[in-house]
Amino acid sequence: MEIVKSILDIPVQDPQAEFSSADLTWKKFGTAEHQDDVALIPYTRVNDFIIGECCNVECPTRFHIERGRKRSKGSVKEYKNDDYLYWCSFGPENYGEGGGILPSRKYRLNTRFKHPIRAARPQCMRGCTCHFVVKRLYTRPSLVLIIYNVKCHINKSGFVCHGPLGKDTIGPGIPKENVLGKNIECIQQYCGSDATFDTLASEYVRKLGMIIKRSTHELDRDDQASIRMWVERNKKSIFFYQDTSKMDPFILGIQTEWQLQQMVRFGRHNLVAADPTFGIKKLKYPLCTLLVFDSRHHALPVAWIITPSVVKSDMSKWKKALNTFCCPILFSLWLLRSSWLRNVVKKCSNIEVQREIFKRLGKIVYGTWSSVNTSVALEECIQDFVDQTAFVDYFRSSWMAKIEMWLLTLKSFPLASQAASGAIEAYHVKLKTKLFDDSHLGALLRVDWLVHKLTTELYSTYWLNRYADESNSFQNVKEEYIASTSWHRALQIPDSAVTLDDKYNLFAKVASLKGSSITHIVWNPGSDFAFCDSAWSMQGNFCKHVIKVNMMCDNDKACEPSMSSRSFGEIPMDLWKKPMDDSILLDESVAWSHQMLDQIKQLVELNSSNDIGIVVNNMPLKWISKKGRKFVGIPASFPALPSTSKSNLQKKNRKWKRLSRLR
């Protein structure tokens, strides 16, 4: 091809609609020693060219500005062009196996120029070398020169590194039915029609499908080696990792970039809940999930910890790495309540016995804040229902040894309300559905399978739910997400559908929304241990009927208060207990009580006010900095204080400084 030595000899091309490099005629521009493939197009068509390049069928991608230089008019005295380096977003770094980031850069560039096409997530980069330069000509600003340095989407080794032809993406895309049909067709061609052969072929294809499905997560036959390889490839999604040794147990802490963002957004100086004991009996190592509550009070998983150890020293390692000490951690009764209710229903056939046992167990738990002797109360309960041998044997073997520990924890941690417990339950149910869906693969005892399930299917589900809710798109996904907790389903039940027993307050009736002839009965209304005869409740879950009845019982003094209300009531009572002697301890109690009361008042005022400026102006002033005692005003995000009061305080501050120097 002839080498063009002047830009003036390059023809201007202006294809129709969006176009790519395949639609342009490229010229060799440069010298005999070095030439580049170039094309000249109008400046207004740059975006069309970039979009066309992104829609490459073999290697679909996005291009980001890796480096740019734009000069304002009159800023230079000699001929220099504005130029931008566009790079495929699967490069230039390689975060895949055996890759690494550029030695001169430890972070992604935040480049926002004329064409703000963002780079992909760093974890997706595979060292693609495809890139081109766009030069806006200084003397002909209506035109741009495109210099395509590398057109192929390949890495430094010369292999296709992403797209359908990439080695990490090549895999089975053929339905299992098609494979089975082709297999049986070949067998019949040589062996004739035989039911036995057809059955063997079906079994062979099924096993082949299992092997293919396992290949997505089994990086090595040895589970421990497979996890090491996964950790090496996904360092950006790991906040703590400790391999198994003679002295230390296995600990793997997973948190993606998006999960970190949600934790900072919804969890900082707020609440963090834990679902700590999932899969104790079925998984190789139990799974602990840390949850925050979003704007709709749904539980979002913001971190997963896989470890067999519950020792405090081991837990402190990953908690310190995750920095959860600044957030109060909620303790939920859901797991204890669910386990008891599920086994009461399973092991006791009479429904009247079921609700009486469950009510007695609830009274024992409520007795934590009174002078009730737990051991004596449990023995009396067991003696009263001694004929229910199946449940008594279960309770003695599973709970008698650790019930004291559970009840002590109730008094040590803030308790989750029914809304929070319902959100935790919804997450637990979804997690169970996702994980145990593949139990037929025999993969429950592999950690790499668990990690794959969490970081692909479960993670993407919650990401899509939040995206649908915040962008008001995917209405079916959004509606299903909103109604995924029992608390939100309970809000749909009108008050008129609930009938309370006025005489003895023993039960409540809830008319079903599906049909007026269907009615559910809730026994022991108002309590966390209320018992409903609905199918969902019989499985050990918080049903919408129990939550709705308890909502209406909140202001009824005849009903038993919820556990979270009892827990909240005990905290100020402990603070306001007068010390034995009139000492400094009394002063501390009074000071703490007043401070807590002020904070509660401010919180109530903030939630009920429509004008945040009024709330801020009423806030007390703060003084910080031991040296100088500088005045600290309201943060910039809040409305400013009146100028007169601020100037007066500044005068007092200067006067105070002069007095302190004299001293």
Side-chain angles (χ1 to χ4, degrees):
M1 183 183 293
E2 184 182 355
I3 299 175
V4 179
K5 296 183 179 181
S6 174
I7 295 180
L8 298 175
D9 297 332
I10 303 175
V12 179
Q13 303 177 65
D14 192 5
Q16 296 293 325
E18 296 172 357
F19 60 97
S20 65
S21 58
D23 301 316
L24 297 175
T25 301
W26 297 88
K27 299 289 185 179
K28 290 290 184 182
F29 176 71
T31 62
E33 292 78 17
H34 177 76
Q35 313 97 34
D36 292 310
D37 290 335
V38 300
L40 205 59
I41 65 171
Y43 173 74
T44 56
R45 302 300 308 282
V46 172
N47 280 339
D48 293 333
F49 172 74
I50 295 172
I51 293 172
E53 284 298 284
C54 293
C55 297
N56 188 322
V57 177
E58 294 183 352
C59 297
T61 183
R62 299 178 71 186
F63 283 86
H64 66 274
I65 298 176
E66 183 70 14
R67 186 181 67 247
R69 179 174 56 192
K70 183 178 180 181
R71 298 177 177 84
S72 59
K73 188 175 180 180
S75 61
V76 293
K77 296 181 179 180
E78 57 184 27
Y79 174 86
K80 289 184 179 180
N81 299 316
D82 295 340
D83 59 84
Y84 302 94
L85 172 60
Y86 284 86
W87 207 292
C88 171
S89 287
F90 286 90
E93 292 98 325
N94 184 2
Y95 282 80
E97 186 177 4
I101 64 175
L102 295 177
S104 60
R105 185 168 68 207
K106 300 297 183 184
Y107 55 88
R108 292 298 304 149
L109 293 177
N110 185 19
T111 52
R112 296 186 181 181
F113 295 98
K114 184 68 176 177
H115 313 290
I117 299 179
R118 307 288 180 83
R121 292 184 59 179
Q123 294 92 327
C124 300
M125 296 185 183
R126 292 296 179 265
C128 185
T129 58
C130 179
H131 64 282
F132 58 86
V133 176
V134 175
K135 285 182 176 288
R136 188 176 187 183
L137 303 182
Y138 186 80
T139 56
R140 303 166 71 187
S142 62
L143 300 177
V144 294
L145 182 71
I146 300 177
I147 305 173
Y148 223 129
N149 304 105
V150 180
K151 293 183 181 179
C152 300
H153 292 267
I154 57 176
N155 55 24
K156 291 182 179 180
S157 301
F159 297 105
V160 177
C161 51
H162 63 91
L165 300 179
K167 69 171 186 177
D168 292 333
T169 53
I170 291 178
I174 306 172
K176 185 171 66 175
E177 292 76 14
N178 293 3
V179 177
L180 177 60
K182 190 67 176 178
N183 202 357
I184 292 177
E185 181 184 336
C186 294
I187 291 175
Q188 291 177 351
Q189 182 179 352
Y190 293 99
C191 305
S193 180
D194 191 302
T196 304
F197 290 151
D198 293 349
T199 303
L200 291 174
S202 177
E203 183 68 17
Y204 169 75
V205 172
R206 187 185 71 83
K207 290 183 177 180
L208 183 63
M210 291 173 61
I211 292 172
I212 292 172
K213 199 168 185 179
R214 287 175 177 174
S215 66
T216 58
H217 62 269
E218 290 187 9
L219 304 178
D220 192 276
R221 290 186 178 183
D222 180 66
D223 186 37
Q224 195 170 358
S226 180
I227 280 294
R228 290 196 194 101
M229 293 175 66
W230 186 90
V231 169
E232 188 64 28
R233 295 181 181 183
N234 299 272
K235 292 181 179 179
K236 298 292 182 179
S237 299
I238 297 168
F239 68 89
F240 187 82
Y241 175 64
Q242 177 177 281
D243 204 352
T244 307
S245 65
K246 293 182 179 179
M247 301 296 294
D248 299 313
F250 174 85
I251 303 176
L252 176 60
I254 303 172
Q255 185 179 60
T256 65
E257 183 180 351
W258 180 80
Q259 286 179 306
L260 176 60
Q261 293 171 0
Q262 305 310 305
M263 183 175 179
V264 172
R265 179 182 177 186
F266 296 116
R268 189 175 184 184
H269 304 308
N270 208 324
L271 296 174
V272 174
D275 184 18
T277 56
F278 183 85
I280 289 180
K281 296 180 180 178
K282 293 186 178 181
L283 298 178
K284 182 177 181 179
Y285 298 138
L287 171 66
C288 174
T289 307
L290 292 186
L291 305 159
V292 296
F293 301 96
D294 64 8
S295 53
R296 293 190 182 273
H297 305 296
H298 285 53
L300 287 179
V302 293
W304 292 296
I305 301 93
I306 305 171
T307 179
S309 176
V310 293
V311 180
K312 187 175 181 180
S313 58
D314 292 327
M315 292 179 64
S316 298
K317 294 178 182 178
W318 60 260
K319 288 178 71 175
K320 185 176 181 180
L322 199 59
N323 194 20
T324 59
F325 294 107
C326 60
C327 304
I329 298 180
L330 283 179
F331 180 82
S332 176
L333 271 175
W334 173 80
L335 184 63
L336 179 137
R337 181 189 184 278
S338 175
S339 179
W340 286 0
L341 179 56
R342 189 170 59 251
N343 282 279
V344 164
V345 173
K346 181 180 178 181
K347 300 181 186 301
C348 303
S349 56
N350 190 302
I351 191 169
E352 294 183 359
V353 174
Q354 292 172 0
R355 65 173 182 247
E356 285 301 320
I357 291 179
F358 196 58
K359 183 177 180 179
R360 285 285 294 273
L361 292 174
K363 285 186 175 181
I364 293 172
V365 176
Y366 271 85
T368 305
W369 288 278
S370 61
S371 57
V372 175
N373 189 313
T374 304
S375 301
V376 174
L378 284 173
E379 285 297 332
E380 290 178 355
C381 179
I382 290 174
Q383 291 301 321
D384 291 343
F385 299 99
V386 69
D387 56 327
Q388 305 297 320
T389 54
F391 178 77
V392 169
D393 292 343
Y394 152 77
F395 197 85
R396 284 189 182 277
S397 60
S398 302
W399 290 98
M400 286 297 287
K402 56 186 179 183
I403 189 66
E404 293 284 353
M405 178 195 69
W406 275 84
L407 297 182
L408 181 63
T409 306
L410 292 182
K411 298 189 69 174
S412 305
F413 286 88
L415 291 185
S417 63
Q418 290 185 105
S421 296
I424 296 171
E425 176 190 82
Y427 165 77
H428 193 92
V429 171
K430 184 175 292 186
L431 176 65
K432 188 176 181 179
T433 303
K434 290 289 184 182
L435 293 188
F436 294 159
D437 179 52
D438 281 355
S439 58
H440 64 280
L441 297 179
L444 293 177
L445 296 180
R446 288 190 67 98
V447 179
D448 55 2
W449 166 84
L450 174 60
V451 170
H452 174 75
K453 276 287 187 177
L454 294 175
T455 55
T456 54
E457 295 186 23
L458 192 66
Y459 169 80
S460 59
T461 298
Y462 278 94
W463 183 92
L464 180 61
N465 288 340
R466 288 298 306 162
Y467 177 79
D469 188 27
E470 294 184 341
S471 63
N472 197 28
S473 56
F474 303 104
Q475 290 300 317
N476 57 335
V477 176
K478 180 180 178 179
E479 292 171 3
E480 184 181 350
Y481 168 65
I482 293 174
S484 61
T485 68
S486 298
W487 176 268
H488 282 77
R489 292 193 292 270
L491 295 176
Q492 306 306 314
I493 302 176
D495 293 350
S496 58
V498 181
T499 305
L500 296 173
D501 178 27
D502 296 333
K503 191 173 182 181
Y504 300 108
N505 196 38
L506 297 177
F507 63 89
K509 294 182 180 180
V510 183
S512 175
L513 299 179
K514 297 179 181 178
S516 57
S517 60
I518 304 174
T519 303
H520 296 287
I521 299 178
V522 177
W523 296 87
N524 194 21
S527 170
D528 287 66
F529 289 82
F531 185 93
C532 180
D533 59 1
S534 66
W536 183 248
S537 178
M538 289 296 190
Q539 297 175 22
N541 301 305
F542 264 120
C543 74
K544 60 184 179 182
H545 311 105
V546 168
I547 294 177
K548 179 61 180 180
V549 169
N550 289 354
M551 286 180 185
M552 298 185 65
C553 288
D554 281 344
N555 298 323
D556 191 344
K557 294 182 179 179
C559 295
E560 197 165 14
S562 66
M563 295 288 289
S564 57
S565 299
R566 291 288 297 269
S567 174
F568 176 75
E570 289 295 322
I571 294 172
M573 291 304 296
D574 289 341
L575 283 174
W576 293 335
K577 286 179 181 177
K578 181 180 177 181
M580 294 298 294
D581 56 337
D582 194 9
S583 63
I584 195 170
L585 294 177
L586 177 61
D587 299 334
E588 289 181 354
S589 298
V590 173
W592 279 109
S593 301
H594 279 284
Q595 183 178 356
M596 187 179 69
L597 183 62
D598 290 340
Q599 290 177 352
I600 293 174
K601 286 181 178 179
Q602 290 173 9
L603 182 61
V604 172
E605 185 182 1
L606 184 62
N607 288 333
S608 59
S609 176
N610 294 325
D611 187 359
I612 194 174
I614 299 175
V615 179
V616 171
N617 286 333
N618 292 332
M619 285 183 175
L621 301 173
K622 292 184 178 181
W623 301 81
I624 63 170
S625 179
K626 194 173 181 180
K627 292 185 177 180
R629 296 284 184 179
K630 296 180 181 178
F631 168 74
V632 178
I634 302 300
S637 58
F638 292 144
L641 288 168
S643 58
T644 54
S645 59
K646 185 174 180 180
S647 61
N648 291 336
L649 286 168
Q650 289 173 340
K651 290 178 181 178
K652 291 181 179 180
N653 186 25
R654 289 194 294 269
K655 182 178 180 181
W656 185 90
K657 286 183 179 180
R658 288 196 298 270
L659 290 173
S660 62
R661 293 194 195 100
L662 292 174
R663 291 175 184 174

